[in-house]
Amino acid sequence: MSITPAPTTDPLIVAKFGGTSVADYAAMCRSANIVIANPNTKIVLISACSGVTNLLVELATGISDSVLRQQHLQQLATIHQQIINQLQQPQTVSAAIDTLLDDVASAAAQAAIKPSSQLTDQLVSHGELLSTHLFNQILIELGATAVRFDIRNVMRTDAQFGKAVPQPECIRQLAQQHLLPLLATQVVVSQGFIGSDDQGNTTTLGRGGSDYSAALIAEAVDASTLEIWTDVPGMYTTDPRITAAAKPIKEISFSEASEMANFGAKILHPSTLVPAVRQQIPVFVGSSKAPQQGGTWIRKTVDQAPLFRALALRGNQTMVTLTSLNMFHAYGFLAEVFRILAEHKISVDLITTSEVSVSLTLDQTDTGGGAPTLPIAVVEQLNQLCRVEIEQGLSLVALIGNRMSDSKGSAKHIFGALDAYNLRLICYGASPHNLCFLVNEIDAKSVVNTLHQQLLE
């Protein structure tokens, strides 16, 4: 995809703040002060307040118990009312917040009768629509000149509700037309995660899609830097909640960071870096709670590229094994399997093959939650070709580094450390930047701790 850059002007920073960075009034004030401290920060995309999206997803699944549904709605109202109560001029946003909460209540009642993916997107989008009203007002009360903007006017996607696919060329055209003219005199506050299709229907980019939204907007306006503000000071050698000895990474390449995001490092959405790589936009990841601690810079090239850089863990994995003697010395079997999967828009993540079987994992990209699985119609079609086994309760462990498949003895070092564990579906050699495998979910954290101690400490 070729996207022609606009002429270079003053530095333009797009900043994205996650749910914990806008969780309450104090968190919003900290994040707003980060924006105000850098006059080059012109576009701010934020997530829903922490916990709000989960409540909205539950409402979208359809809560028939009216008392329970009302409890969820009251929790939503309380989260936002607590922030309103601390504003200097609460009356400026109260009416808009009340209207949005009424819309949520109406959609939740519809979902209780007949839930749908389109209604789910409509419901969960309200988290960002609510939080941006509050954050924009806080910026204004702290002295900034700011305006709230509905990102659905720019973030054009297809109509795959729950995991909509963005249209970068269209986003760029709309951003240049509607967004750039606003930046000369003010900060624009808008929503991550959500967009709209050609018919004006609200869509979402999948769970965690706020980062991706920010990268797409940064690309569309030719930003000089994309900042991702979260609750940890940058990327680590693994999740510090799993391994206490995890170390911060000051600088990492696009290739390594992409692998980490794809294989479960929750600090970045897997698609975030794609637009940044297309336009070579440096990405900074830092903590809104402690901006003075610095963070991680993600760039095309870095000074140091160690053999082993980090470990990522992704839970809730589903492995599908397809077995048929027709595979043996035959052609066309895999083509037919993937034709069926493509027909039903099933996204495959990892794959390994033997003479008579193929094992693959299913990608989880929508907002529904839960372990991914094959729809009954897909299983029925595949059963006509082969025996289908579906296994859940698995986790994916990925070791990220550089030129690992070219380094003699590295595989022995890795697998030797894991002789006490049962490893499944090992993928190695397709990329010089990763080695990944499945383990039983109960062993996952222990496996990560063992590898971190042996390879990274």
Side-chain angles (χ1 to χ4, degrees):
M1 182 182 301
S2 175
I3 297 180
T4 305
T8 302
T9 56
D10 293 333
L12 193 168
I13 296 173
V14 174
K16 177 263 174 180
F17 292 88
T20 55
S21 297
V22 293
D24 52 29
Y25 180 79
M28 284 194 174
C29 286
R30 285 194 298 268
S31 297
N33 281 317
I34 290 172
V35 174
I36 292 169
N38 191 336
N40 292 323
T41 303
K42 292 295 187 179
I43 300 176
V44 181
L45 300 186
I46 69 172
S47 299
C49 299
S50 184
V52 166
T53 300
N54 288 338
L55 286 169
L56 292 168
V57 168
E58 288 181 38
L59 288 168
T61 60
I63 300 177
S64 56
D65 184 335
S66 60
V67 175
L68 181 59
R69 187 166 71 247
Q70 189 58 42
Q71 288 175 351
H72 280 64
L73 293 171
Q74 185 57 52
Q75 287 183 61
L76 285 172
T78 299
I79 289 170
H80 298 96
Q81 189 61 49
Q82 286 175 343
I83 300 174
I84 291 173
N85 291 343
Q86 297 179 75
L87 294 174
Q88 297 168 20
Q89 297 178 307
Q91 70 280 3
T92 56
V93 296
S94 293
I97 296 295
D98 288 343
T99 298
L100 287 169
L101 290 173
D102 287 344
D103 291 344
V104 169
S106 176
Q110 292 179 49
I113 299 170
K114 188 178 181 181
S116 69
S117 57
Q118 181 174 350
L119 188 56
T120 296
D121 275 6
Q122 181 185 330
L123 256 170
V124 299
S125 70
H126 281 72
E128 281 72 15
L129 297 174
L130 287 160
S131 62
T132 43
H133 275 292
L134 299 170
F135 190 80
N136 186 67
Q137 181 60 25
I138 287 174
L139 269 177
I140 292 171
E141 292 184 1
L142 290 175
T145 304
V147 62
R148 180 181 178 273
F149 180 83
D150 192 330
I151 203 65
R152 291 174 294 184
N153 294 325
V154 166
M155 185 60 62
R156 189 68 70 245
T157 73
D158 67 7
Q160 290 188 61
F161 300 106
K163 47 182 176 181
V165 177
Q167 300 170 356
E169 291 283 3
C170 191
I171 293 168
R172 180 178 185 82
Q173 179 184 352
L174 292 170
Q176 300 279 329
Q177 181 181 351
H178 300 294
L179 201 50
L180 278 182
L182 302 175
L183 306 183
T185 57
Q186 57 201 342
V187 176
V188 172
V189 176
S190 197
Q191 305 82 24
F193 177 57
I194 68 176
S196 67
D197 64 15
D198 290 337
Q199 304 302 312
N201 299 308
T202 298
T203 59
T204 68
L205 304 189
R207 203 64 186 265
S210 292
D211 291 351
Y212 189 23
S213 297
L216 288 162
I217 294 299
E219 176 186 43
V221 299
D222 301 303
S224 56
T225 302
L226 169 61
E227 295 178 350
I228 305 289
W229 294 96
T230 180
D231 56 354
V232 293
M235 304 179 78
Y236 281 71
T237 49
T238 196
D239 189 335
R241 293 170 296 186
I242 297 175
T243 303
K247 298 175 289 187
I249 301 170
K250 294 299 180 185
E251 189 180 50
I252 189 170
S253 69
F254 280 133
S255 298
E256 295 169 290
S258 295
E259 298 282 7
M260 286 185 68
N262 186 54
F263 289 115
K266 291 182 173 57
I267 199 165
L268 283 178
H269 184 277
S271 300
T272 301
L273 296 176
V274 174
V277 170
R278 283 196 296 249
Q279 290 289 80
Q280 297 299 299
I281 302 170
V283 179
F284 175 80
V285 182
S287 169
S288 62
K289 295 179 179 179
Q292 71 282 357
Q293 291 186 20
T296 302
W297 278 100
I298 307 171
R299 300 185 173 97
K300 181 181 179 181
T301 58
V302 293
D303 294 335
Q304 295 182 333
L307 178 62
F308 303 128
R309 173 76 82 179
L311 285 156
L313 176 63
R314 189 168 71 198
N316 221 15
Q317 297 296 286
T318 299
M319 182 171 71
V320 178
T321 300
L322 310 174
T323 305
S324 172
L325 292 176
N326 292 334
M327 279 186 66
F328 190 69
H329 288 173
Y331 60 87
F333 176 82
L334 286 179
E336 180 62 12
V337 166
F338 283 100
R339 185 198 65 77
I340 293 170
L341 296 175
E343 178 185 325
H344 293 272
K345 294 182 168 57
I346 303 296
S347 178
V348 171
D349 191 19
L350 304 178
I351 180 169
T352 61
T353 64
S354 71
E355 289 88 347
V356 296
S357 66
V358 54
S359 292
L360 50 88
T361 61
L362 303 179
D363 202 6
Q364 175 85 37
T365 57
D366 64 18
T367 56
T373 190
L374 290 177
I376 294 174
V378 177
V379 175
E380 289 175 349
Q381 283 185 264
L382 290 173
N383 273 329
Q384 297 176 20
L385 285 178
C386 55
R387 187 174 79 249
V388 180
E389 297 177 65
I390 300 175
E391 186 176 352
Q392 297 182 327
L394 300 168
S395 291
L396 173 68
V397 177
L399 176 61
I400 314 300
N402 293 277
R403 304 183 66 83
M404 289 193 295
S405 55
D406 296 338
S407 178
K408 293 181 179 179
S410 62
K412 179 181 179 182
H413 195 183
I414 296 163
F415 294 121
L418 299 175
D419 57 1
Y421 302 98
N422 182 28
L423 309 185
R424 312 283 299 280
L425 199 144
I426 299 169
C427 293
Y428 185 38
S431 165
H433 295 291
N434 80 70
L435 181 158
C436 51
F437 49 85
L438 294 178
V439 295
N440 292 326
E441 203 156 346
I442 195 171
D443 294 328
K445 292 182 179 179
S446 179
V447 167
V448 170
N449 274 303
T450 298
L451 280 176
H452 195 277
Q453 184 177 19
Q454 294 290 325
L455 306 180
L456 296 169
E457 293 176 25

